[in-house]
């Protein structure tokens, strides 16, 4: 069975540009969460979506947005990129909304902002 | 607010030696606690988790962790490390913020193995 997949693997953008990152959850998983991992730090929670609805967001500016599609895949959008947005963006899926369901992480998308 | 502290940024141990990685958390209620491992080029993998019950939790790859409420700690242990254990290890606490179920990670401990 395929795990969580993310695309693209790597991405290079310049300041001020917009980026879209994509995530496909494990089949049957209805919850998708996004995390940002800056080099040398632990992942930070950005968003959780469950059944296509936003369940919560972390302490990130409005430049960050996301959505979940009927097939439970998800997109993370970042507008007006800043140098500080350079990071590994991780997507994670779980079958249900609650923490009791194990969360599985994808390999991430490495975003570099120049 | 919930938080996780991993006081050791980098640890080096000899192959075959025992290992203990420290983790302290701050959380008002009964926490959900996790240890993840991240190897270069690979995603985060769950080693073990604690939700309730027995405070000594067994995980994959021979790892175990002990929840100590009085010390707000959840230290990870392994009796004998292998070279393949070299990786970044993250302690995390599960938190509910509004309706979201999120995991708050520590800053990680990088483990190096001395041959």
């Amino acid at each position: 069975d395929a795990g969580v997949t993310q695309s693209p693997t790597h991405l290079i953008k310049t300041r001020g540009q917009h980026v879209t990152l994509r995530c496909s959850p494990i089949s049957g998983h209805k919850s998708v969460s996004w995390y940002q991992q800056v080099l040398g730090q632990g992942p930070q929670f950005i968003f959780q979506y469950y059944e296509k609805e936003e369940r919560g967001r972390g302490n990130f500016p409005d430049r960050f947005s996301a959505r979940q599609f009927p097939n439970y895949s998800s997109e993370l959008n970042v507008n007006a990129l800043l140098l500080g947005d350079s990071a590994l963006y991780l997507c994670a899926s779980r079958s249900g909304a609650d923490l009791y369901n194990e969360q599985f992480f994808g390999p991430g998308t490495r975003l570099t902002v120049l | 607010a919930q938080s996780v502290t991993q006081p050791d940024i980098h640890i080096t141990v000899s192959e075959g030696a025992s290992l203990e990685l420290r983790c302290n958390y701050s959380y008002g209620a009964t926490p959900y606690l996790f240890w993840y491992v991240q190897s270069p080029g690979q995603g985060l993998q769950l080693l073990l988790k604690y939700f309730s019950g027995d405070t000594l939790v067994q995980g994959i790859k021979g790892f175990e962790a002990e929840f100590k409420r009085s010390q707000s700690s959840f230290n990870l242990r392994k009796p004998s490390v292998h070279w393949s254990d070299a990786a970044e290890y993250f302690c995390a606490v599960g938190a509910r913020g509004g309706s979201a179920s999120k995991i708050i990670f520590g800053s990680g401990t990088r483990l190096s193995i001395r041959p």
Side-chain angles (χ1 to χ4, degrees):
Chain A
D1 287 343
V4 178
T5 59
Q6 294 185 243
S7 62
T9 306
H10 296 87
L11 203 52
I12 299 175
K13 293 286 189 178
T14 57
R15 282 177 296 175
Q17 284 189 313
H18 163 271
V19 69
T20 298
L21 310 181
R22 295 177 174 84
C23 171
S24 292
I26 292 172
S27 177
H29 285 192
K30 299 180 180 180
S31 173
V32 169
S33 296
W34 287 95
Y35 292 80
Q36 180 196 63
Q37 186 177 17
V38 173
L39 195 62
Q41 297 182 19
Q44 276 195 290
F45 173 77
I46 310 176
F47 285 109
Q48 183 196 12
Y49 276 78
Y50 178 69
E51 290 276 21
K52 303 182 289 293
E53 291 191 3
E54 182 183 306
R55 294 286 293 243
R57 68 181 294 155
N59 188 24
F60 281 82
D62 292 343
R63 299 185 296 106
F64 288 77
S65 64
R67 56 180 174 167
Q68 187 176 33
F69 298 99
N71 66 353
Y72 304 112
S73 67
S74 178
E75 283 183 354
L76 176 69
N77 295 283
V78 187
N79 292 323
L81 285 167
L82 303 174
L83 295 180
D85 295 330
S86 296
L88 180 68
Y89 288 85
L90 296 166
C91 174
S93 75
R94 54 163 57 102
S95 57
D98 196 79
L99 288 166
Y100 217 85
N101 307 114
E102 183 174 343
Q103 185 164 253
F104 295 86
F105 284 83
T109 293
R110 172 74 63 186
L111 172 64
T112 302
V113 182
L114 302 176
Chain B
Q2 306 92 350
S3 66
V4 178
T5 302
Q6 294 182 249
D8 303 306
I9 296 173
H10 183 206
I11 284 181
T12 300
V13 300
S14 298
E15 189 168 16
S18 63
L19 169 71
E20 182 167 27
L21 302 182
R22 296 183 291 164
C23 172
N24 292 97
Y25 68 90
S26 173
Y27 190 66
T30 301
Y32 289 178
L33 295 164
F34 307 85
W35 274 99
Y36 284 86
V37 61
Q38 187 175 38
S39 300
Q42 298 190 19
L44 284 161
Q45 182 181 23
L46 180 68
L47 286 175
L48 47 79
K49 61 188 177 186
Y50 171 79
F51 288 164
S52 64
D54 192 348
T55 56
L56 185 62
V57 180
Q58 302 297 321
I60 62 171
K61 303 184 180 185
F63 286 92
E64 67 177 26
E66 187 171 12
F67 170 58
K68 294 185 177 180
R69 184 186 300 275
S70 61
Q71 299 177 20
S72 297
S73 69
F74 189 56
N75 294 348
L76 182 71
R77 301 193 295 249
K78 187 171 185 178
S80 177
V81 298
H82 185 260
W83 64 266
S84 60
D85 293 326
E88 188 89 21
Y89 290 80
F90 293 95
C91 180
V93 62
R96 291 192 67 86
S99 58
S101 296
K102 59 184 177 182
I103 295 179
I104 297 171
F105 288 84
S107 54
T109 297
R110 184 160 62 92
L111 175 65
S112 297
I113 306 298
R114 191 183 302 118

